[in-house]
PDB file of all heavy atoms in Angstrom:
ATOM      1  N   ASP A 248      -7.240  32.741  -6.667  1.00  0.00           N
ATOM      2  CA  ASP A 248      -7.957  33.769  -7.394  1.00  0.00           C
ATOM      3  C   ASP A 248      -7.130  34.421  -8.478  1.00  0.00           C
ATOM      4  O   ASP A 248      -7.605  35.080  -9.347  1.00  0.00           O
ATOM      5  CB  ASP A 248      -8.487  35.031  -6.424  1.00  0.00           C
ATOM      6  CG  ASP A 248      -9.491  34.397  -5.511  1.00  0.00           C
ATOM      7  OD1 ASP A 248     -10.198  33.331  -5.797  1.00  0.00           O
ATOM      8  OD2 ASP A 248      -9.746  34.847  -4.398  1.00  0.00           O
ATOM      9  N   ASP A 249      -5.836  34.303  -8.422  1.00  0.00           N
ATOM     10  CA  ASP A 249      -4.905  35.037  -9.252  1.00  0.00           C
ATOM     11  C   ASP A 249      -4.684  34.105 -10.543  1.00  0.00           C
ATOM     12  O   ASP A 249      -3.996  34.569 -11.483  1.00  0.00           O
ATOM     13  CB  ASP A 249      -3.708  35.265  -8.586  1.00  0.00           C
ATOM     14  CG  ASP A 249      -3.743  36.305  -7.492  1.00  0.00           C
ATOM     15  OD1 ASP A 249      -4.025  37.428  -7.740  1.00  0.00           O
ATOM     16  OD2 ASP A 249      -3.671  35.828  -6.292  1.00  0.00           O
ATOM     17  N   VAL A 250      -5.254  32.912 -10.622  1.00  0.00           N
ATOM     18  CA  VAL A 250      -4.938  32.030 -11.767  1.00  0.00           C
ATOM     19  C   VAL A 250      -5.891  32.536 -13.002  1.00  0.00           C
ATOM     20  O   VAL A 250      -6.988  32.445 -12.886  1.00  0.00           O
ATOM     21  CB  VAL A 250      -5.340  30.546 -11.448  1.00  0.00           C
ATOM     22  CG1 VAL A 250      -5.120  29.697 -12.652  1.00  0.00           C
ATOM     23  CG2 VAL A 250      -4.408  30.104 -10.283  1.00  0.00           C
ATOM     24  N   PRO A 251      -5.099  32.871 -14.035  1.00  0.00           N
ATOM     25  CA  PRO A 251      -5.902  33.469 -15.068  1.00  0.00           C
ATOM     26  C   PRO A 251      -6.526  32.356 -16.078  1.00  0.00           C
ATOM     27  O   PRO A 251      -7.607  32.603 -16.584  1.00  0.00           O
ATOM     28  CB  PRO A 251      -4.786  34.116 -15.959  1.00  0.00           C
ATOM     29  CG  PRO A 251      -3.505  33.461 -15.572  1.00  0.00           C
ATOM     30  CD  PRO A 251      -3.664  32.926 -14.214  1.00  0.00           C
ATOM     31  N   GLY A 252      -5.915  31.186 -15.996  1.00  0.00           N
ATOM     32  CA  GLY A 252      -6.452  30.230 -16.996  1.00  0.00           C
ATOM     33  C   GLY A 252      -7.441  29.152 -16.352  1.00  0.00           C
ATOM     34  O   GLY A 252      -8.086  29.492 -15.405  1.00  0.00           O
ATOM     35  N   VAL A 253      -7.283  27.935 -16.807  1.00  0.00           N
ATOM     36  CA  VAL A 253      -8.101  26.743 -16.183  1.00  0.00           C
ATOM     37  C   VAL A 253      -7.281  26.221 -15.068  1.00  0.00           C
ATOM     38  O   VAL A 253      -6.290  25.566 -15.394  1.00  0.00           O
ATOM     39  CB  VAL A 253      -8.439  25.767 -17.304  1.00  0.00           C
ATOM     40  CG1 VAL A 253      -9.256  24.657 -16.659  1.00  0.00           C
ATOM     41  CG2 VAL A 253      -9.056  26.424 -18.433  1.00  0.00           C
ATOM     42  N   ASP A 254      -7.660  26.470 -13.863  1.00  0.00           N
ATOM     43  CA  ASP A 254      -6.845  25.952 -12.735  1.00  0.00           C
ATOM     44  C   ASP A 254      -7.287  24.485 -12.306  1.00  0.00           C
ATOM     45  O   ASP A 254      -7.882  24.275 -11.241  1.00  0.00           O
ATOM     46  CB  ASP A 254      -7.196  26.901 -11.559  1.00  0.00           C
ATOM     47  CG  ASP A 254      -6.242  26.656 -10.413  1.00  0.00           C
ATOM     48  OD1 ASP A 254      -5.123  25.966 -10.594  1.00  0.00           O
ATOM     49  OD2 ASP A 254      -6.477  27.067  -9.319  1.00  0.00           O
ATOM     50  N   ASN A 255      -6.841  23.630 -13.278  1.00  0.00           N
ATOM     51  CA  ASN A 255      -7.243  22.218 -13.001  1.00  0.00           C
ATOM     52  C   ASN A 255      -6.369  21.366 -13.727  1.00  0.00           C
ATOM     53  O   ASN A 255      -6.537  21.332 -14.929  1.00  0.00           O
ATOM     54  CB  ASN A 255      -8.759  21.953 -13.420  1.00  0.00           C
ATOM     55  CG  ASN A 255      -9.402  20.836 -12.746  1.00  0.00           C
ATOM     56  OD1 ASN A 255      -8.863  20.337 -11.734  1.00  0.00           O
ATOM     57  ND2 ASN A 255     -10.492  20.298 -13.302  1.00  0.00           N
ATOM     58  N   PHE A 256      -5.372  20.735 -13.150  1.00  0.00           N
ATOM     59  CA  PHE A 256      -4.435  20.108 -13.950  1.00  0.00           C
ATOM     60  C   PHE A 256      -4.121  18.666 -13.418  1.00  0.00           C
ATOM     61  O   PHE A 256      -4.560  18.337 -12.346  1.00  0.00           O
ATOM     62  CB  PHE A 256      -3.097  20.859 -14.094  1.00  0.00           C
ATOM     63  CG  PHE A 256      -2.359  20.966 -12.787  1.00  0.00           C
ATOM     64  CD1 PHE A 256      -1.293  20.098 -12.576  1.00  0.00           C
ATOM     65  CD2 PHE A 256      -2.595  21.929 -11.832  1.00  0.00           C
ATOM     66  CE1 PHE A 256      -0.509  20.068 -11.382  1.00  0.00           C
ATOM     67  CE2 PHE A 256      -1.907  21.967 -10.583  1.00  0.00           C
ATOM     68  CZ  PHE A 256      -0.885  21.040 -10.372  1.00  0.00           C
ATOM     69  N   GLY A 257      -3.322  17.892 -14.164  1.00  0.00           N
ATOM     70  CA  GLY A 257      -2.978  16.571 -13.708  1.00  0.00           C
ATOM     71  C   GLY A 257      -2.422  15.815 -15.011  1.00  0.00           C
ATOM     72  O   GLY A 257      -2.903  16.179 -16.025  1.00  0.00           O
ATOM     73  N   VAL A 258      -1.571  14.831 -14.668  1.00  0.00           N
ATOM     74  CA  VAL A 258      -1.087  14.099 -15.724  1.00  0.00           C
ATOM     75  C   VAL A 258      -2.223  13.083 -16.435  1.00  0.00           C
ATOM     76  O   VAL A 258      -2.358  13.110 -17.662  1.00  0.00           O
ATOM     77  CB  VAL A 258       0.021  13.245 -15.259  1.00  0.00           C
ATOM     78  CG1 VAL A 258       0.829  12.502 -16.460  1.00  0.00           C
ATOM     79  CG2 VAL A 258       1.039  13.969 -14.572  1.00  0.00           C
ATOM     80  N   PHE A 259      -2.911  12.526 -15.580  1.00  0.00           N
ATOM     81  CA  PHE A 259      -3.983  11.630 -16.061  1.00  0.00           C
ATOM     82  C   PHE A 259      -5.287  12.035 -15.761  1.00  0.00           C
ATOM     83  O   PHE A 259      -6.310  11.962 -16.640  1.00  0.00           O
ATOM     84  CB  PHE A 259      -3.872  10.137 -15.316  1.00  0.00           C
ATOM     85  CG  PHE A 259      -2.601   9.417 -15.713  1.00  0.00           C
ATOM     86  CD1 PHE A 259      -1.438   9.655 -14.874  1.00  0.00           C
ATOM     87  CD2 PHE A 259      -2.474   8.622 -16.780  1.00  0.00           C
ATOM     88  CE1 PHE A 259      -0.240   9.045 -15.196  1.00  0.00           C
ATOM     89  CE2 PHE A 259      -1.305   8.047 -17.147  1.00  0.00           C
ATOM     90  CZ  PHE A 259      -0.160   8.185 -16.381  1.00  0.00           C
TER      91      PHE A 259
END
Side-chain angles (χ1 to χ4, degrees):
Chain A
D248 294 337
D249 297 289
V250 178
V253 182
D254 189 15
N255 201 17
F256 71 95
V258 187
F259 295 92

